[in-house]
Amino acid sequence: MAANNLQGIFDSAFAQMEQARQAWAPQIAQCETGIITSIASGIAKVSGLPGVGFEEVLRFPGDSYGIAFNVEEDEIGVILLDDYSQLHTGDEVERTEHVMDVPVGDGLIGRVIDPLGRPRDGKAPVISTARLPIERPAPPIMDRAPVTVPLQTGIKVIDALIPVGRGQRELILGDRQTGKTAIALDTILNQRNENVLCVYCAIGQHASGVAKLIATLCEKDAMHYTIVVVTEGNDPPGLAYIAPYAATSIAEYFMEQGRDVLIVYDDLTHHARAYRELSLLLRRPPGREAYPGDIFYIHSRLLERATHLRDSLGGGSLTALPIVETEAQDISAYIPTNLISITDGQIYLSPSLFELGVLPAVDVGKSVSRVGGKAQRAVYRAVAGDLKLDYAQFEELETFARFGARLDEDTRKIIEHGRRIRACLKQPESAPVSVPEQTVILLALTARLFDNVPSEHMADAEQAVRRAAADISAEVWTRIMTADNLGDEDREMIIRIAGKTLAGFQLPPEPDAESSGGK
């Protein structure tokens, strides 16, 4: 009986297979192919392919790819995305009939990939749930919501004086070797328990520098919420050009799921140079500094994709921290001014402060956040205004003090207070400071509790104040962080605790202290 049932199953299966075979008819599909007419550094000229579209992906021999960039009447200018040493004039080129896209999904978290989604960390191929085009329109204005939630960087000078909100675009600019990447890295490290996904996009960076950054992320246990998109200095310029767009599409996928995402572009100077190289090779007309006329547009359409979505669309946000390199402190150069006008503020790093050992070397006078206090906790707003004014007065008067001018008592106090502010705002790399610790330090500064602490004891005094913040109960901190305004009782309590902590570091007032302090 069982054998008859099994025979019936086989007969039914073979009958269905026979029907499917008889119903199938071969179809003739049209396939467009072209010929490589010339190859240059990172680009190729292709003839044929009459139906090709702008930014369509083309397949070259050896499973290498390119993007149709110049679509002209008799030939196509293609930017190459892979090693082109194996390509030769006369090789065939095929259409793929789709634009450049990138894999997205939770499988990318913790991975190091290139802009095409290929693994760069030596692990298994990336598992993705979907693919998104790298070029996507920015959300319309009616889909956006105001930026109101802070993105804590863990860096005291930024959180207090140049606040960044979730959905904001804050430019980081400065000369070479002034700590731009370190600020972005510290911000990523501070998102560990903040439920913020991070995407780091390295554009044309040295492989050794990227490897060091990834090692730091692994050491600090930050890779489990970070995606790294890498193009190295020896990659084709086409790959460096598409890298930030691919990284943004990956970040947008999570933003549309209702998550908060932070993306770092390191750096857009290399991106602009890669685009200039491609444009000149494709004979596009050069403009200022030999950049093509649409150099502003390639960055504006990229950064306009960073936003905070309204609640009906999930309420997700995409915060962008683009990095740009200046030359000889010239922030009025072409690319820096373009990005300053596109973004919602900038953090400027000064080489002179860096050489003096003031780290992070943030120049508060040239830095600004155009969102400002709207994306700042109430406790910061209570102290930030006075702190920034006092620091600005100090920087103005410090120049005169260097000439050995005789200073009156009020001026000397302003300078001494400013030096304490500068000392408290110093911070080592990869050591983010929590919000409660920052709150106690900033309130102690505005109450001038550090003014009687000798300069050589400032570091120890600050550490003692940070430890004192742990003695305040979690209930009190919850009330302070959720309140619309910092209450007088809470302010007095924090200042009292800080005062007790600093009592052991402060110098007793001496009769001749004023005269000796004016030197």
Side-chain angles (χ1 to χ4, degrees):
M1 189 68 179
N4 292 335
N5 289 339
L6 188 61
Q7 183 65 37
I9 292 172
F10 278 123
D11 291 342
S12 175
F14 285 132
Q16 291 177 8
M17 292 170 62
E18 179 68 19
Q19 290 175 3
R21 187 188 66 80
Q22 292 176 356
W24 181 83
Q27 297 179 352
I28 299 176
Q30 184 178 3
C31 179
E32 289 186 29
T33 58
I35 301 294
I36 298 176
T37 57
S38 66
I39 297 178
S41 177
I43 66 142
K45 296 292 183 69
V46 176
S47 65
L49 303 177
V52 73
F54 178 60
E55 293 190 344
E56 182 178 334
V57 178
L58 303 178
R59 185 183 294 108
F60 290 82
D63 271 344
S64 60
Y65 294 90
I67 299 175
F69 214 55
N70 274 13
V71 182
E72 300 171 359
E73 186 175 358
D74 52 352
E75 68 176 3
I76 303 158
V78 182
I79 60 173
L80 302 173
L81 304 177
D82 293 290
D83 179 23
Y84 47 87
S85 59
Q86 306 298 322
L87 301 181
H88 303 90
T89 302
D91 286 348
E92 282 195 353
V93 184
E94 300 177 5
R95 288 183 60 191
T96 61
E97 300 187 2
H98 66 81
V99 296
M100 188 70 224
D101 55 16
V102 65
V104 296
D106 291 339
L108 273 68
I109 299 175
R111 299 298 303 272
V112 181
I113 60 172
D114 70 2
L116 302 179
R118 298 175 297 200
R120 284 288 185 96
D121 49 10
K123 298 179 182 178
V126 172
I127 299 174
S128 62
T129 55
R131 298 186 73 90
L132 288 177
I134 64 169
E135 294 272 12
R136 305 179 72 207
I141 292 175
M142 299 307 295
D143 289 349
R144 300 174 184 238
V147 176
T148 55
V149 181
L151 181 97
Q152 297 294 142
T153 64
I155 301 171
K156 290 172 286 187
V157 64
I158 295 177
D159 290 340
L161 305 180
I162 319 154
V164 180
R166 297 188 182 185
Q168 187 176 343
R169 302 158 299 174
E170 186 79 5
L171 177 66
I172 303 173
L173 77 163
D175 285 8
R176 291 185 68 251
Q177 301 296 319
T178 51
K180 300 185 296 296
T181 302
I183 284 182
L185 178 59
D186 285 358
T187 305
I188 292 175
L189 296 179
N190 197 53
Q191 308 311 312
R192 182 171 181 180
N193 297 315
E194 299 289 333
N195 195 27
V196 175
L197 185 76
C198 301
V199 179
Y200 177 80
C201 179
I203 307 168
Q205 297 292 313
H206 295 295
S208 57
V210 177
K212 181 181 177 183
L213 182 138
I214 294 171
T216 303
L217 292 173
C218 293
E219 179 188 346
K220 301 291 184 179
D221 195 26
M223 279 302 291
H224 70 274
Y225 58 84
T226 305
I227 302 168
V228 180
V229 181
V230 176
T231 58
E232 298 172 6
N234 59 346
D235 285 330
L239 206 60
Y241 167 68
I242 69 168
Y245 301 103
T248 306
S249 289
I250 293 170
E252 280 181 327
Y253 169 81
F254 295 100
M255 176 184 72
E256 291 165 1
Q257 305 295 317
R259 298 190 62 175
D260 293 313
V261 188
L262 168 68
I263 185 166
V264 176
Y265 305 107
D266 190 8
D267 65 56
L268 292 185
T269 307
H270 286 97
H271 183 244
R273 289 172 183 164
Y275 185 64
R276 176 173 62 181
E277 178 182 349
L278 294 169
S279 298
L280 292 175
L281 288 168
L282 290 169
R283 304 291 182 181
R284 291 188 173 185
R288 177 179 168 185
E289 296 182 21
Y291 287 106
D294 60 343
I295 190 71
F296 182 93
Y297 177 61
I298 73 163
H299 288 150
S300 64
R301 77 172 188 257
L302 169 70
L303 293 169
E304 279 297 316
R305 294 163 69 177
T307 186
H308 177 207
L309 296 177
R310 55 190 171 92
D311 292 340
S312 60
L313 295 174
S317 69
L318 176 56
T319 309
L321 293 181
I323 296 174
V324 67
E325 181 184 303
T326 57
E327 295 179 353
Q329 306 180 47
D330 183 14
I331 63 174
S332 62
Y334 191 22
I335 302 303
T337 49
N338 280 356
L339 288 163
I340 286 171
S341 64
I342 293 167
T343 51
D344 307 313
Q346 72 270 358
I347 298 169
Y348 176 67
L349 302 179
S350 167
S352 56
L353 289 175
F354 187 86
E355 291 163 3
L356 290 172
V358 180
L359 301 177
V362 176
D363 188 329
V364 177
K366 293 182 180 178
S367 302
V368 67
S369 172
R370 298 193 183 99
V371 174
K374 294 179 181 176
Q376 202 172 27
R377 297 179 190 270
V379 66
Y380 284 101
R381 288 198 298 270
V383 300
D386 294 339
L387 202 64
K388 195 162 191 176
L389 182 60
D390 292 343
Y391 194 66
Q393 287 179 331
F394 156 69
E395 288 185 321
E396 290 290 331
L397 293 172
E398 188 184 30
T399 306
F400 295 101
R402 286 177 185 156
F403 295 113
R406 189 174 182 85
L407 304 175
D408 61 84
E409 180 60 20
D410 290 340
T411 303
R412 190 189 66 80
K413 286 183 177 179
I414 291 172
I415 291 176
E416 289 299 321
H417 181 54
R419 286 174 179 161
R420 300 306 185 274
I421 294 175
R422 175 179 285 173
C424 279
L425 294 181
K426 286 183 182 180
Q427 191 170 330
E429 188 178 341
S430 302
V433 182
S434 66
V435 175
E437 292 174 350
Q438 289 190 39
T439 302
V440 179
I441 292 170
L442 295 174
L443 283 173
L445 270 175
T446 54
R448 298 179 179 266
L449 298 180
F450 284 102
D451 287 9
N452 292 328
V453 177
S455 299
E456 61 270 17
H457 295 153
M458 278 297 298
D460 294 335
E462 183 193 339
Q463 290 298 323
V465 170
R466 289 177 60 177
R467 287 193 296 270
D471 297 335
I472 302 174
S473 67
E475 296 178 0
V476 174
W477 282 123
T478 302
R479 183 178 72 246
I480 292 174
M481 295 305 158
T482 55
D484 293 334
N485 294 294
L486 179 63
D488 293 338
E489 292 182 4
D490 292 331
R491 177 193 286 265
E492 291 172 3
M493 178 200 64
I494 293 174
I495 291 175
R496 187 171 61 253
I497 292 173
K500 287 181 180 178
T501 306
L502 293 173
F505 295 93
Q506 292 172 340
L507 288 173
E510 298 179 6
D512 60 340
E514 297 179 1
S515 59
S516 63
K519 291 181 181 179

